Amino acid sequence: MVSIVPNNIQIEDDRTGIDIETLKRAFLDNLFYIQAKFPRIATKNDYYMALAYTVRDRLLNRWLRTTQTYLEKAPRTVAYLSAEFLLGPHLGNNLINLGLYNVVKQAMEELGLNLTDLLEQEEEPGLGNGGLGRLAACYIDSLATLEIPAIGYGIRYQFGIFDQEIKDGWQVEITDLWLQYGNPWEVARPEAALEVKFGGRTEVYTDEHGRYRIRWVPFKVMKGVPYDTPILGFQTNTANTLRLWKAEAPESFDFEAFNKGDYFGAVHAKSECENITKVLYPNDESHQGKQLRLEQQYFFVSCSLQDMIRIMQIQNLTLERFHEHYAIQLNDTHPTIGVAELMRLLLDEYGFEWDRAWNITTRTFAYTNHTLLPEALERWPLAMFASLLPRHLEIIYEINCRFLDEVRIKFPDDGDRLRRMSIIDESGERYVRMANLACVGSFAINGVAELHSELLKQTTLHDFYEMYPEKFTNVTNGVTPRRFMLLSNPRLANLITNKIGDGWIKRLDELRKLEDFVHDANFRHDFRQVKQAVKQDLADHIRTHYSIDVNPNSLFDIQAKRIHEYKRQHLNALYIVTLYNRLKADPDLDITPRTFLFGGKAAPGYYMAKLMIKLINSIADVVNNDPDVRDRIKVVFLKDYNVKFAQRVYPAADLSEQISTAGKEASGTGNMKFSMNGALTIGTLDGANIEIREAVGVDNFFLFGLTAEEVLAKKASGYNPWDYYNSNPELKLVIDRLASGFFSHGDPNLFKPLLDSLLYRDEYLLLADYQSYVECQERVSQAYRDSDYWTRMSILNVARMGKFSSDRSIQDYLQHIWKAPAVKVDVPEYTQSHS
Ligand code: 475
């Protein structure tokens, strides 16, 4: 046993005490000694920082005890490798998990400060694009809450996802400066930096035992510095680590260049090195073969694997047992170079024989696929790959050669199959196919919802399914109820806890107890009031920031997610225009008042998505200002949708738009966050919608549209969008109005690319689903008119969402893939979790 951290650290009371007086003193102390400010000159950010440090002080003991426990007990550990962690603000979440929310709120009040204001001050770490990155964040939350030894590995981007502004209806991207005022939640560990090699060549040499070995002679070497962030579990002593790598120049750099006398060149080259972790690629669900992106992937994966080996060495464990000590989850193919890197480390650096190394590697990795979209599948041009990672390419060739031999034996005389399954795409320009490498190098492969996992087996990964059926499994996504209910919707959380106790926060299935209260008119009344109050908050926000008055009694109909054609925000827009046209034709038409809210970012290079934003804003301009509408419909595009703002949005929805073309949305997770906050879903049979509908009951879900199977059949039989345009007068009027320039100050060309894409191709079958969607929206409007009936459905949605906790997802991963038992962390009485 090694004892890295002494057991008897003495900690000053001001850094651990959680009574109000101590908290206040500690807060002012941090303001003075860390921010170097006193209250009269402190900015709001100074106060935020002082509070963040005060809270951080109170979790450090748990964090160090957890680290120490893992080092000493050397338990099986989950390593979650992800190029993205879309964390959202830390302060509120840590207050909740420490059980300090109320007492800190009180302490701040006594100092004349408002906790909500201070929480607003936090610049969130937006180190992800959307679903995939946010899922990683939910999973590390659940891993800590379930007391599983785990570490998240990723990239410390200096600039995360861009901030979005809207100018003249168009998206404008602004650099995300999340680190500009410092990050109180991270601890740099320069002493634990590692080196990563790039480029160059390989050479053969004979080692001291006369064995042929291969050595990689790199073109350049980079340094990876880890920055650690504690990830607290909810009401546990476990605080796991999120370790994000920053690229720097190695010290040796100065040395060489200074010797050559090229001072400026040396400094320049040094800052070039930092480029690797400068910025997050903002493309959701699309792959561009950019070299810097491959450099990012290899950089963080190499650092992480070397780090894992180093930890085993501290623990005196032999690398022979690497796969027993670690289960490495690949969050999509982005970290898949890890398969080749672990092989390289074992073969070249630690002298393993091929078979032994391959055995360890393929018992270590598991791969999660997040998308079926062909444009998202990662492939790297061979020449680029070879110049950056020459040794890895050799290893991949060897893996491929042995793998194709296996395929040949199982499926003789099937050249097409070999070509499809090869890790190297040789059909034209040559590429390395990362999904193929992930499938060959992993012992488990999973999709993220039942339908998605089935489609993977039948389509994208069909050959691999036939080769290795035993590797395939499904783990339906989930989301953390700590952030997306307790923190984001305290009114609802309190109402629930008052009725059924607080067990639901850790065992979300207990929400089912709420079903009993569906019949309780008082409860329905209280439930409705909660929703009303939250909607009022959002309405206030909209009035303040957009100078638009929205009616909090209207139906809040929200679509918040990345902007993408397959997600069909423009189908929603077509419906808005439909309603508008009806009102224009009959200004006295009795319709259910609605507020249409949109939020989401478009990839900066995705023209159609940006045009969809412009379309929504243009429709909003006309609809919101037309006196004939008489405020019965309002449209608002909420700018800069991020985790912090999402937390205000989910609770305020009456209706959640989950309207992707069936077969395209792998799972969706926003769908879960809306539903557990009482929104009803209008949705297609896509992704996890299917399972949500099953869970909440088909009567409490608004279903429309083609099924995935019907979508394929329709396309196969020659889909022609004009048929729908010509046969549906209401649809025709919508398209014609958009094409006429009515919504674009008379410019008939503005939306032409979008309309042409609908009329001449309509890859995502908007026109085919239009009528079904409109009719379904009519059912929604009718249902909303009976507010008591609506409330019953809404309550049942909340009550039946237990399955969609990320705790359940993590338990599925543990049971079927990781097999890593929980480990209790002991913390002396005086700092134990207070609930
Ligand atoms: C799915 N992102 C959601 C969510 O499983 C699903 C791809 C390439 C490069 C950068 N980002 C990506 C994704 O593929 C992604 O976010 N996928 C999403 O993963 C979690 O719920 O349906 O679209």
Side-chain angles (χ1 to χ4, degrees):
M1 294 280 243
V2 277
S3 183
I4 308 301
V5 181
N7 276 311
N8 56 350
I9 336 168
Q10 290 296 313
I11 297 159
E12 302 146 67
D13 179 62
D14 267 14
R15 298 211 154 176
T16 59
I18 55 167
D19 59 288
I20 292 198
E21 289 312 315
T22 309
L23 284 168
K24 281 159 53 182
R25 202 167 55 240
F27 171 80
L28 293 173
D29 202 70
N30 281 332
L31 185 67
F32 189 87
Y33 284 104
I34 296 183
Q35 291 308 103
K37 291 281 183 83
F38 48 88
R40 248 198 41 195
I41 59 165
T43 63
K44 208 174 247 182
N45 192 63
D46 291 323
Y47 285 127
Y48 161 75
M49 294 290 275
L51 180 56
Y53 281 109
T54 307
V55 173
R56 195 182 96 168
D57 288 340
R58 278 147 188 81
L59 61 78
L60 277 181
N61 200 28
R62 281 190 188 74
W63 193 19
L64 296 186
R65 296 282 173 185
T66 303
T67 305
Q68 176 191 22
T69 303
Y70 293 169
L71 277 173
E72 287 176 358
K73 294 195 176 163
R76 180 165 169 78
T77 299
V78 175
Y80 199 86
L81 264 61
S82 179
E84 303 187 5
F85 286 90
L86 187 44
L87 298 166
H90 289 289
L91 178 56
N93 202 239
N94 284 335
L95 284 173
I96 291 262
N97 285 2
L98 288 168
L100 294 181
Y101 196 96
N102 290 329
V103 62
V104 163
K105 186 170 192 285
Q106 175 75 28
M108 292 301 104
E109 252 161 48
E110 293 185 14
L111 292 170
L113 295 165
N114 178 289
L115 178 59
T116 315
D117 283 353
L118 297 183
L119 292 174
E120 261 314 296
Q121 194 58 37
E122 182 169 348
E123 198 56 69
E124 74 175 64
L127 309 184
N129 272 285
L132 171 150
R134 183 55 235 179
L135 188 77
C138 284
Y139 282 1
I140 55 175
D141 173 287
S142 284
L143 280 162
T145 297
L146 294 170
E147 305 177 311
I148 306 301
I151 178 161
Y153 281 114
I155 300 173
R156 181 180 177 276
Y157 299 105
Q158 186 181 343
F159 307 116
I161 188 68
F162 62 86
D163 294 339
Q164 179 193 55
E165 283 184 8
I166 303 295
K167 295 237 160 79
D168 186 30
W170 295 95
Q171 166 175 297
V172 175
E173 299 91 22
I174 310 289
T175 313
D176 164 49
L177 301 176
W178 73 290
L179 288 169
Q180 73 175 326
Y181 298 116
N183 173 6
W185 304 105
E186 69 182 8
V187 180
R189 307 281 189 201
E191 73 283 8
L194 291 165
E195 293 201 329
V196 181
K197 301 181 242 197
F198 287 99
R201 58 191 169 79
T202 62
E203 63 185 27
V204 181
Y205 70 101
T206 322
D207 71 8
E208 65 274 23
H209 309 294
R211 280 198 312 164
Y212 280 119
R213 300 274 296 271
I214 293 175
R215 172 156 63 206
W216 178 9
V217 187
F219 170 71
K220 63 176 172 184
V221 176
M222 220 84 84
K223 191 168 75 174
V225 181
Y227 283 69
D228 290 352
T229 301
I231 304 297
L232 277 179
F234 178 71
Q235 292 182 356
T236 70
N237 290 328
T238 300
N240 285 333
T241 295
L242 173 63
R243 177 160 274 193
L244 303 179
W245 300 94
K246 173 178 190 279
E248 288 186 8
E251 283 83 30
S252 57
F253 230 86
D254 307 322
F255 202 68
E256 273 175 39
F258 285 136
N259 280 346
K260 289 188 206 139
D262 180 10
Y263 174 76
F264 192 84
V267 174
H268 177 71
K270 224 170 141 75
S271 75
E272 289 273 284
C273 283
E274 304 201 343
N275 277 347
I276 292 196
T277 54
K278 269 275 168 275
V279 57
L280 168 76
Y281 276 93
N283 309 303
D284 191 54
E285 319 236 7
S286 97
H287 164 74
Q288 307 160 291
K290 287 276 195 296
Q291 172 153 336
L292 185 61
R293 167 96 173 162
L294 180 58
E295 290 175 16
Q296 290 184 335
Q297 295 182 351
Y298 177 63
F299 169 77
F300 99 86
V301 168
S302 178
C303 287
S304 307
L305 286 169
Q306 292 183 64
D307 195 51
M308 292 161 72
I309 289 174
R310 177 175 56 193
I311 292 169
M312 284 187 74
Q313 287 168 340
I314 296 171
Q315 293 165 323
N316 280 320
L317 296 175
T318 156
L319 294 185
E320 292 283 345
R321 314 186 63 170
F322 189 89
H323 57 290
E324 293 171 23
H325 194 53
Y326 292 111
I328 303 184
Q329 194 66 32
L330 301 171
N331 198 23
D332 214 289
T333 53
H334 316 153
T336 294
I337 188 61
V339 171
E341 173 68 354
L342 182 57
M343 285 299 285
R344 184 191 71 81
L345 289 164
L346 294 174
L347 295 168
D348 298 356
E349 312 267 340
Y350 295 96
F352 281 63
E353 299 293 343
W354 182 279
D355 288 332
R356 193 68 208 114
W358 186 241
N359 181 49
I360 291 169
T361 300
T362 52
R363 292 166 78 179
T364 297
F365 289 99
Y367 159 52
T368 304
N369 173 291
H370 292 268
T371 178
L372 296 164
L373 300 185
E375 64 269 30
L377 289 184
E378 289 195 301
R379 349 172 272 171
W380 298 105
L382 202 80
M384 177 201 293
F385 199 99
S387 77
L388 200 67
L389 302 170
R391 178 59 182 137
H392 297 79
L393 188 59
E394 290 173 2
I395 290 170
I396 287 171
Y397 279 146
E398 182 66 24
I399 293 171
N400 199 36
C401 180
R402 291 168 182 245
F403 166 64
L404 292 178
D405 282 347
E406 261 183 74
V407 178
R408 228 173 261 115
I409 287 168
K410 187 151 181 181
F411 302 98
D413 311 314
D414 193 343
D416 275 344
R417 184 184 298 265
L418 290 169
R419 276 186 284 280
R420 292 194 306 267
M421 297 186 80
S422 173
I423 299 170
I424 310 296
D425 179 349
E426 309 197 79
S427 57
E429 203 203 325
R430 296 197 297 164
Y431 293 97
V432 183
R433 294 166 164 157
M434 299 313 271
N436 296 34
L437 179 59
C439 288
V440 176
S442 300
F443 67 89
I445 301 167
N446 75 285
V448 290
E450 274 166 22
L451 173 70
H452 170 63
S453 296
E454 276 313 306
L455 292 173
L456 272 182
K457 292 193 280 185
Q458 289 164 22
T459 63
T460 316
L461 301 180
H462 180 69
D463 291 323
F464 290 94
Y465 177 59
E466 288 193 328
M467 183 77 198
Y468 306 118
E470 70 288 348
K471 287 190 186 184
F472 282 75
T473 171
N474 169 250
V475 181
T476 297
N477 284 167
V479 303
T480 172
R482 269 75 64 182
R483 183 178 292 274
F484 292 106
M485 296 185 73
L486 192 54
L487 177 61
S488 68
N489 200 348
R491 293 184 183 92
L492 180 65
N494 285 334
L495 178 68
I496 295 173
T497 297
N498 286 339
K499 280 293 167 197
I500 64 170
D502 65 3
W504 61 274
I505 301 165
K506 278 202 181 193
R507 295 174 301 274
L508 203 64
D509 281 321
E510 289 187 15
L511 287 177
R512 198 166 287 279
K513 295 180 190 163
L514 290 174
E515 284 194 32
D516 295 345
F517 299 98
V518 168
H519 313 292
D520 174 343
N522 287 326
F523 182 72
R524 291 200 302 276
H525 171 264
D526 294 347
F527 188 91
R528 219 169 8 250
Q529 293 236 301
V530 164
K531 182 64 81 180
Q532 206 52 38
V534 178
K535 285 168 70 179
Q536 183 66 58
D537 284 352
L538 187 59
D540 293 344
H541 171 93
I542 292 171
R543 183 176 314 104
T544 310
H545 291 90
Y546 299 83
S547 307
I548 297 175
D549 270 311
V550 303
N551 172 6
N553 295 312
S554 66
L555 191 166
F556 275 24
D557 175 337
I558 310 188
Q559 187 167 18
K561 51 181 76 242
R562 285 297 288 250
I563 312 295
H564 206 296
E565 288 162 281
Y566 87 78
K567 296 178 189 281
R568 302 199 294 192
Q569 281 91 354
H570 45 344
L571 177 58
N572 190 342
L574 294 182
Y575 177 63
I576 299 173
V577 176
T578 305
L579 275 186
Y580 175 75
N581 288 345
R582 288 181 188 171
L583 288 175
K584 290 304 278 181
D586 176 5
D588 293 324
L589 190 70
D590 180 23
I591 68 160
T592 304
R594 280 206 202 209
T595 301
F596 292 92
L597 301 173
F598 293 85
K601 294 173 183 175
Y606 184 177
Y607 179 70
M608 282 297 191
K610 291 180 132 177
L611 191 53
M612 286 161 71
I613 293 177
K614 175 66 177 167
L615 173 72
I616 292 162
N617 282 313
S618 302
I619 294 170
D621 268 351
V622 171
V623 167
N624 295 351
N625 297 306
D626 185 332
D628 283 348
V629 173
R630 278 186 259 130
D631 292 345
R632 282 165 295 174
I633 51 183
K634 278 277 161 70
V635 183
V636 184
F637 187 93
L638 301 161
K639 69 177 151 102
D640 201 32
Y641 185 69
N642 57 13
V643 177
K644 193 202 273 184
F645 189 59
Q647 289 172 201
R648 313 168 65 118
V649 168
Y650 294 120
D654 293 307
L655 187 67
S656 152
E657 298 271 352
Q658 306 300 334
I659 61 178
S660 52
T661 315
K664 297 292 179 189
E665 188 70 270
S667 161
T669 43
N671 46 5
M672 302 166 188
K673 296 165 196 167
F674 277 114
S675 188
M676 58 178 64
N677 282 283
L680 301 189
T681 304
I682 180 164
T684 48
L685 286 176
D686 200 14
N689 293 354
I690 298 173
E691 291 156 74
I692 292 174
R693 177 169 172 267
E694 257 164 38
V696 303
V698 298
D699 297 335
N700 306 304
F701 185 107
F702 295 97
L703 178 69
F704 77 97
L706 298 169
T707 64
E709 231 173 300
E710 288 164 348
V711 165
L712 290 178
K714 188 155 289 281
K715 287 195 167 177
S717 68
Y719 170 60
N720 183 4
W722 287 104
D723 295 344
Y724 292 88
Y725 171 86
N726 289 320
S727 64
N728 187 333
E730 194 161 41
L731 171 60
K732 182 169 184 304
L733 182 60
V734 168
I735 302 253
D736 291 350
R737 275 232 160 121
L738 287 167
S740 73
F742 186 95
F743 294 98
S744 39
H745 305 285
D747 177 0
N749 291 318
L750 182 59
F751 302 123
K752 197 166 186 315
L754 213 43
L755 298 173
D756 281 354
S757 117
L758 292 182
L759 291 169
Y760 293 96
R761 229 159 63 91
D762 197 13
E763 194 186 341
Y764 300 107
L765 293 115
L766 277 77
L767 302 204
D769 272 345
Y770 170 84
Q771 191 56 32
S772 168
Y773 182 56
V774 169
E775 284 167 15
C776 191
Q777 288 286 26
E778 299 312 305
R779 296 202 298 279
V780 170
S781 288
Q782 283 311 315
Y784 192 71
R785 285 169 174 243
D786 184 344
S787 77
D788 204 46
Y789 168 63
W790 185 277
T791 304
R792 287 169 194 263
M793 293 198 290
S794 176
I795 293 170
L796 288 176
N797 264 260
V798 178
R800 295 172 178 176
M801 285 301 287
K803 170 176 170 185
F804 301 97
S805 167
S806 45
D807 298 347
R808 188 273 312 148
S809 307
I810 290 299
Q811 268 149 353
D812 286 355
Y813 278 102
L814 286 167
Q815 188 182 339
H816 300 295
I817 301 175
W818 301 333
K819 304 189 191 310
V823 169
K824 286 269 172 216
V825 174
D826 287 323
V827 170
E829 191 58 37
Y830 68 95
T831 49
Q832 252 165 32
S833 179
H834 295 259
S835 39

